[in-house]
Amino acid sequence: MRIKFRRKSYCCILISVFMIFLLYEWLTLQPKNSQYEDPLLVKGNILCVLVPYRDRFEELQQFIPHMEKFLNSQNVAHRFIILNQTDSLRFNRASLINVGWLEADRLRCNYLVMHDVDLLPQNPALDYTYPGIGIVRHIAAGKYHPKKRYDYAKFIGGILLLTLDDFKLVNGMSNKYWGWGLEDDEFYLRLRDANLLEHLQRPDNLNTSRGDTFLHVHDAKKRTRDQIYTPLQKQMSHRRDRTSGLFSVNYVIADRQLLKIKGITALVINIELVCDRKWTPYCTLD
Ligand SMILES: *[C@@H]1O[C@H](CO)[C@@H](O)[C@H](O)[C@H]1NC(C)=O
Ligand SMILES: *[C@@H]1O[C@H](CO)[C@@H](O)[C@H](O)[C@H]1NC(C)=O
C-alpha cells in the first residue's frame, strides 16, 4: 500500500516536471517582437528610454517611431517609459527621472538613457548600445547639439546614457529643481564626485555637424519654457545637493498605461510629484 502510493506520487512529479518543461519550451519559442514580453525571458542588455514629459503629444508621436527605428538598427533591446508629470506643480525633470529609474528597475532594464523628447538622433554613429559599468555616455554632446549655447565642457544634458547601477551609485538626481534647467549640471557634480567622469564618452569625429547630427523638433505652438527663477531658487540651484535623490523622491503613481503609436508600445507612467514646501517653496509660482 505504501509503496503503491509512493509510486503514484513519483509518477505525478514526473508528469508535472514534463509539463513545466513543455510550458517553458512553448514560452521561450514565442516570437520576441513584443517589447513587453515577460522580462524574465529576455536575455542580455535592455535599455530603458526615460522621457520626462508634459503635454507634448505631437513631439511624442514623432519621437517614438523615430527612436524605435533608430534603436532597432543598432539591435538595442529597449522599452519606452514616458514619465508624464500630472500634478499642477512646476516641471521637475530630475524627479521624473528618479521615478523612471524605479520603473526601469521593475522592468529589468540594466541601462537607461534620459532623453529629451524633442531631440532626435540622425547620425547612425550615435551609439545607444550598452556602455558597461562605470561608463557614462553623453550622446547630445555640446559640439553637435543643435543649440550652440550648450557647447560647454560640463554640459551633460539632452541625452545621457548610463547603467542603472551607476545611477543608483550617485543616488540619482537632485529633487530640488522645479522649473527649467540646471538639474543636469548638478548631476554632473554627482558623477564627478563618484569618479564616473573619468571615462565619460562623447561622440567625436562624426561626419555630421551641429546642423544635422540631431533633429530638434520645434513644437508648432512654440511652447514657452518655465525659466523663472525666484531669488531662493537661484540661491539653491547652484549648490551641490548632498541629501536628496533617487531614494527620497516623493511621488504617487496615478496609473500606468500602454500607449500605442504607429503600432509601437510605450509605457506611460502618470506621476504626481509631491513638493516639500518648506524645502522648495518655489515648486509653485503663486
Ligand atoms: C498625461 O497626463 C494627462 C493628465 O494630467 C493626460 O491628460 C494625458 O493624456 C497624459 N499623457 C499621455 C501621453 O498619456
Ligand atoms: C555618416 O556615417 C554613417 C556611418 O557612421 C553613414 O551611415 C552615413 O551615410 C554617413 N553620412 C554621410 C553624410 O556621409
Side-chain angles (χ1 to χ4, degrees):
M1 190 63 192
R2 237 181 122 186
I3 288 164
K4 216 175 173 186
F5 173 74
R6 273 202 186 151
R7 238 183 224 156
K8 233 185 201 168
S9 57
Y10 182 65
C11 188
C12 279
I13 289 167
L14 261 188
I15 287 170
S16 309
V17 166
F18 184 65
M19 295 293 279
I20 289 166
F21 173 75
L22 277 185
L23 185 69
Y24 176 81
E25 284 295 298
W26 180 75
L27 282 173
T28 50
L29 285 173
Q30 288 302 297
K32 300 226 165 162
N33 53 6
S34 160
Q35 294 169 50
Y36 296 92
E37 61 199 294
D38 187 341
L40 285 169
L41 298 177
V42 179
K43 295 182 188 78
N45 300 310
I46 310 176
L47 172 67
C48 267
V49 181
L50 305 184
V51 186
Y53 176 90
R54 183 183 253 175
D55 192 24
R56 287 170 173 233
F57 197 61
E58 297 84 358
E59 295 178 8
L60 194 60
Q61 280 176 305
Q62 197 171 344
F63 178 83
I64 298 288
H66 180 86
M67 291 310 297
E68 174 77 7
K69 205 169 153 197
F70 198 89
L71 295 173
N72 284 345
S73 76
Q74 296 188 359
N75 289 318
V76 168
H78 59 279
R79 306 172 194 285
F80 294 110
I81 306 183
I82 313 305
L83 307 161
N84 187 20
Q85 187 178 340
T86 58
D87 52 71
S88 57
L89 302 167
R90 299 171 75 191
F91 194 60
N92 189 328
R93 178 174 178 271
S95 289
L96 292 174
I97 293 169
N98 283 338
V99 178
W101 185 96
L102 297 161
E103 292 294 311
D105 194 40
R106 266 168 38 93
L107 290 175
R108 292 169 201 259
C109 288
N110 64 334
Y111 70 120
L112 65 87
V113 62
M114 44 183 100
H115 213 299
D116 281 359
V117 69
D118 60 359
L119 211 51
L120 308 182
Q122 303 294 303
N123 191 319
L126 295 168
D127 183 6
Y128 284 75
T129 60
Y130 181 68
I133 301 273
I135 309 281
V136 176
R137 188 179 302 144
H138 184 219
I139 294 177
K143 76 186 229 195
Y144 295 111
H145 195 286
K147 290 199 171 162
K148 196 161 184 293
R149 69 182 148 107
Y150 293 129
D151 199 355
Y152 58 93
K154 293 182 178 176
F155 176 64
I156 53 162
I159 308 171
L160 188 74
L161 183 144
L162 74 167
T163 65
L164 258 69
D165 284 344
D166 285 336
F167 188 87
K168 185 179 172 185
L169 182 73
V170 300
N171 190 19
M173 302 181 81
S174 170
N175 295 304
K176 71 177 177 182
Y177 292 90
W178 301 92
W180 189 81
L182 294 179
E183 78 293 335
D184 46 357
D185 291 350
E186 203 275 347
F187 192 57
Y188 180 94
L189 301 178
R190 292 181 180 226
L191 296 175
R192 186 198 62 191
D193 293 352
N195 294 324
L196 282 171
L197 293 178
E198 281 166 28
H199 307 289
L200 180 69
Q201 293 181 349
R202 283 200 176 108
D204 200 11
N205 299 318
L206 296 179
N207 59 5
T208 49
S209 58
R210 190 181 300 287
D212 53 357
T213 304
F214 298 95
L215 178 66
H216 199 237
V217 182
H218 294 283
D219 190 85
K221 288 176 214 153
K222 288 255 186 296
R223 221 175 287 283
T224 52
R225 284 178 167 144
D226 168 7
Q227 299 198 40
I228 296 156
Y229 285 91
T230 68
L232 176 66
Q233 185 180 1
K234 226 177 238 170
Q235 195 190 334
M236 281 181 72
S237 289
H238 292 281
R239 267 193 219 143
R240 168 84 158 81
D241 172 3
R242 294 187 187 276
T243 50
S244 91
L246 174 59
F247 295 107
S248 67
V249 60
N250 199 354
Y251 67 104
V252 176
I253 292 193
D255 71 316
R256 298 182 176 87
Q257 286 182 352
L258 291 181
L259 173 72
K260 279 221 168 193
I261 296 177
K262 292 197 177 153
I264 304 147
T265 309
L267 180 62
V268 179
I269 318 281
N270 288 334
I271 302 163
E272 287 170 19
L273 294 177
V274 179
C275 171
D276 175 354
R277 282 168 204 270
K278 282 202 190 104
W279 181 47
T280 55
Y282 50 82
C283 61
T284 54
L285 282 173
D286 41 64

